[in-house]
Amino acid sequence: MSILVKGGLIVTQNWKREVVKGDVLIEGDKISDVGHVKARPDEIIDASGGDVMPGLINCHTHVAMALMRSVADDVKLEKFLERTFAIDAKRTPEDVRIGATLGCLEMARSGTTTLLDFYYSEDEVANAVEQVGLRGYLGWTVLDEKFTTQKGKPIKNCENFIKGHKNRPLIKPIISIQGVYVCSDETWLAARELATKESTLCQYHVSETRFEVYEHQKKTGKRPVEYLSDIGFLGKGDVAAHGVWLTINEVRQLAKAGVSVAHCPVSNMKLASGGVAPVPEMFAEGVNVCLGTDGCSSNNTLDLFSEMKFASLMHKAHRWDAGVLPAQKCLDMVTLDAAKAIGAEKKLGSIEPGKRADIIVVDCNGASMIPTRAENAVSNIVYASPSHAVRDTMVDGRFVLRDWKIVTVDEPKLLKTAEDAAAKLIE
Ligand SMILES: [Zn+2]
């Protein structure tokens, strides 16, 4: 099957960051040609008046929490956790699948093609991701047994999940580690051992709040990243979510270890964690930084378009510097840099021959996107585009959203199921 996406403004995200008018040829699950393409494809998609760009990559989600959207707003983190944990404790695996499906539909409609998810019952999340047709790097949460509501040992559950889901084309099973506040040295090191044995990626929450950092310091005398470095845990290719309360020494330790940071500006601001992640210092020290939305109870969307804009504005306001975190860098953080964070830079993150056909088309005919031309296309994407301007979303050469219609599943039916499940779960 070959498809020619014709006549769009291609935001390639190649090494020159070229934005060119032209065509993208897709053969099977890969991009085979970009530019003025002469071909006789099976199908032609008219993309004139649209941006054709790589699908976005969300590097920190708890996608199943879409069912808990807006259940604990405008309260302190402690109250927030109390409320979300109480609902979480009642949830069935089916609720996890329904919530994940809802989140995947929202992502498909807002141009996200890959998610790095962090939860338990990830087998249910995997079914939802696969059914909707997105690409999922899915991490089963590991923590000390005494802190969990999971049945059985979390590390064993994670191992079983990895072993059982290795060969699903759109799914990559990985490891999630909750954080220093619920994980002993043994748990961290057991997770590392499993990651090495299974050659898989590790993600973890780190230094999200001042409370977490100070409590850990009281207990161990060390800040979280210093501690993870000292116990020999930090590993090349890890993804650390949040990283708000970091010293420059910790930023350097992350850089040296080759750990990427998933920056979650909206969640951090909304929960009033206090402080702003030292992202400019991360760039200066060579840390790879990507973006994540976090879950729907703390964001309350999975929309990476607004996340890019918030990220940029947060740092500009904080540093009194309009040049910090420019639009191009924000786009890199949800495409190329995100692909690098998950070890997929050879196959995702740009529109170039040989890469997977994870592509979106953003409609630029609406009032909020006019004028769009090559010179301002990236700025419009970051600062002006509403996420519902996403017209088409394709993963591995297969449409998930086409002309604003979800084509892989019965969306109205699934939305009704989600509404009913939420009504039962949340009083
Ligand atoms: Zn999180």
Side-chain angles (χ1 to χ4, degrees), residues 60-62 118 205 208 241-242 294-295:
H60 191 63
T61 64
H62 307 279
F118 196 126
H205 294 122
E208 181 176 357
H242 299 296
D294 212 353

Side-chain angles (χ1 to χ4, degrees), residues 223-235:
R223 299 173 68 91
V225 172
E226 291 167 353
Y227 157 82
L228 292 176
S229 178
D230 285 356
I231 65 169
F233 172 79
L234 294 181

Side-chain angles (χ1 to χ4, degrees), residues 89-399:
K90 288 198 291 180
R91 282 221 296 191
T92 63
E94 202 194 354
D95 289 326
V96 171
R97 182 175 44 76
I98 294 168
T101 305
L102 174 64
C104 286
L105 289 169
E106 185 189 352
M107 285 192 281
R109 285 196 167 278
S110 53
T112 295
T113 48
T114 297
L115 64 148
L116 178 53
D117 197 57
F118 196 126
Y119 220 54
Y120 54 91
S121 298
E122 284 286 350
D123 48 341
E124 296 290 348
V125 178
N127 290 338
V129 170
E130 215 170 43
Q131 197 195 6
V132 175
L134 301 185
R135 193 183 296 285
Y137 285 63
L138 310 178
W140 190 295
T141 302
V142 171
L143 68 169
D144 292 354
E145 218 175 329
K146 64 179 174 186
F147 292 114
T148 187
T149 51
Q150 288 181 41
K151 288 192 183 75
K153 279 189 166 121
I155 187 82
K156 197 72 204 153
N157 293 342
C158 180
E159 184 172 5
N160 290 341
F161 171 67
I162 293 170
K163 290 205 159 98
H165 295 77
K166 268 183 184 170
N167 300 316
R168 294 167 79 163
L170 291 174
I171 304 298
K172 213 171 185 74
I174 63 159
I175 303 172
S176 302
I177 309 152
Q178 181 64 31
V180 290
Y181 41 95
V182 283
C183 297
S184 62
D185 299 14
E186 292 73 31
T187 299
W188 285 102
L189 295 173
R192 174 59 63 207
E193 200 182 311
L194 180 59
T196 308
K197 193 170 85 178
E198 297 292 341
S199 314
T200 192
L201 196 145
C202 263
Q203 61 170 344
Y204 33 92
H205 294 122
V206 80
S207 301
E208 181 176 357
T209 65
R210 187 168 61 165
F211 181 76
E212 170 195 332
V213 173
Y214 286 4
E215 283 303 301
H216 193 69
Q217 235 173 349
K218 257 194 251 166
K219 213 165 71 184
T220 66
K222 289 169 192 165
R223 299 173 68 91
V225 172
E226 291 167 353
Y227 157 82
L228 292 176
S229 178
D230 285 356
I231 65 169
F233 172 79
L234 294 181
K236 191 170 164 50
D238 294 351
V239 180
H242 299 296
V244 178
W245 285 89
L246 299 176
T247 60
I248 191 69
N249 183 42
E250 289 179 295
V251 170
R252 286 178 187 139
Q253 281 175 319
L254 291 174
K256 195 170 161 217
V259 175
S260 293
V261 170
H263 178 39
C264 305
V266 173
S267 171
N268 298 154
M269 283 193 279
K270 185 159 177 286
L271 284 170
S273 310
V276 173
V279 171
E281 284 72 21
M282 292 179 200
F283 292 154
E285 297 297 332
V287 177
N288 180 52
V289 187
C290 46
L291 284 182
T293 56
D294 212 353
C296 268
S297 338
S298 61
N299 186 303
N300 303 359
T301 82
L302 297 164
D303 175 1
L304 280 174
F305 282 89
S306 64
E307 201 72 33
M308 282 191 276
K309 182 168 179 172
F310 274 114
S312 182
L313 302 193
M314 179 197 211
H315 294 283
K316 289 180 198 319
H318 183 57
R319 300 293 171 115
W320 299 21
D321 179 1
V324 82
L325 215 43
Q328 181 62 63
K329 187 62 186 168
C330 290
L331 186 58
D332 292 354
M333 287 161 84
V334 294
T335 54
L336 281 174
D337 298 348
K340 191 177 166 203
I342 58 174
E345 66 270 38
K346 288 206 174 89
K347 63 174 194 174
L348 301 175
S350 62
I351 298 192
E352 292 176 278
K355 287 219 172 170
R356 293 302 181 102
D358 287 15
I359 289 173
I360 62 174
V361 178
V362 179
D363 178 56
C364 301
N365 295 306
S368 63
M369 293 293 276
I370 290 177
T372 291
R373 49 189 198 283
E375 295 72 29
N376 72 348
V378 171
S379 282
N380 273 359
I381 288 164
V382 175
Y383 299 131
S385 179
S387 58
H388 58 77
V390 174
R391 184 191 84 179
D392 306 303
T393 299
M394 177 187 270
V395 177
D396 259 358
R398 177 176 174 239
F399 280 105

